[in-house]
Amino acid sequence: MSGARWPGPAGAISIPATETGKRHCVPDCDLPVMTPENPFQEEMLATEAPIARHPAAWLQPLPEGYTIPLWRWILLPATALMLRRNKGVWVSGELQLLPDRLRFTETRMSKSSRNPLRTWEILFADIRDLRVKKSLAAETVEIDRGNAMTRLMTVRSDDFMARVREALEGMQET
């Protein structure tokens, strides 16, 4: 029995057949090494490891002057109503606690999307107030930055928010 070959991202991948008939994936060339010269992996090297992580949804506000099109009201009235009520779109992701800031990174089921993942950060020095509103099924976290309000929706965030408050208090003392 002979093996098979397919082109892959790291070169051709060969799958040789063994005596038992089982096939194993073996790369024909060395896999790329994470180096600062590689522009796509340089960002991965520079990122800090988060202190804590928590799943959250961010309310991305609608652009200024956006009007919901008539076709959306006709074809998708429930989504149009939610857009008007929330004044934005919920984006699922992960909230990460770093030593001097909060970072939100969008998560997706499919990695093949053409659009890059949305990521933003808020420095602790920019946060004026942090409020958590509990409701029946979820908690709404409001981060007041003075000039703007950031809203997040999360579940069971007591431990994570306690760590964020500790970090905020530590920044205010210094």
Side-chain angles (χ1 to χ4, degrees):
M1 184 189 262
S2 66
R5 286 178 67 82
W6 289 284
I13 297 176
S14 66
I15 303 177
T18 60
E19 301 83 36
T20 60
K22 293 184 180 177
R23 296 180 179 185
H24 302 281
C25 292
V26 180
D28 280 349
C29 63
D30 294 333
L31 294 173
V33 179
M34 190 179 292
T35 62
E37 293 80 33
N38 188 341
F40 297 105
Q41 294 175 352
E42 183 175 8
E43 185 177 323
M44 292 171 59
L45 286 173
T47 58
E48 300 174 69
I51 297 169
R53 300 170 183 246
H54 193 74
W58 163 53
L59 183 64
Q60 179 184 6
L62 293 173
E64 193 70 33
Y66 177 81
T67 56
I68 300 170
L70 180 63
W71 66 265
R72 187 176 293 261
W73 284 104
I74 294 169
L75 295 176
L76 304 163
T79 59
L81 187 64
M82 294 304 289
L83 268 177
R84 188 179 77 181
R85 185 180 133 206
N86 292 329
K87 298 178 182 81
V89 178
W90 290 105
V91 177
S92 64
E94 181 180 65
L95 197 57
Q96 300 171 355
L97 174 63
L98 298 167
D100 61 341
R101 64 191 176 278
L102 279 174
R103 178 189 299 149
F104 176 85
T105 306
E106 180 182 12
T107 56
R108 290 194 188 134
M109 294 288 289
S110 173
K111 302 288 184 193
S112 64
S113 177
R114 295 179 192 162
N115 300 329
L117 295 175
R118 289 172 270 199
T119 300
W120 51 259
E121 294 179 341
I122 299 176
L123 296 173
F124 288 148
D126 296 340
I127 296 176
R128 300 237 169 108
D129 191 23
L130 182 70
R131 291 185 296 275
V132 178
K133 296 180 182 177
K134 295 191 181 254
S135 63
L136 184 63
E139 301 162 357
T140 303
V141 178
E142 294 180 346
I143 302 171
D144 183 9
R145 295 178 287 139
N147 59 350
M149 179 75 72
T150 302
R151 289 180 56 198
L152 301 161
M153 188 184 326
T154 160
V155 179
R156 298 182 190 163
S157 66
D158 294 335
D159 295 336
F160 182 80
M161 294 314 294
R163 294 179 94 173
V164 170
R165 284 196 171 94
E166 287 175 15
L168 278 170
E169 289 171 3
M171 284 295 282
Q172 290 174 354
E173 290 173 2
T174 59

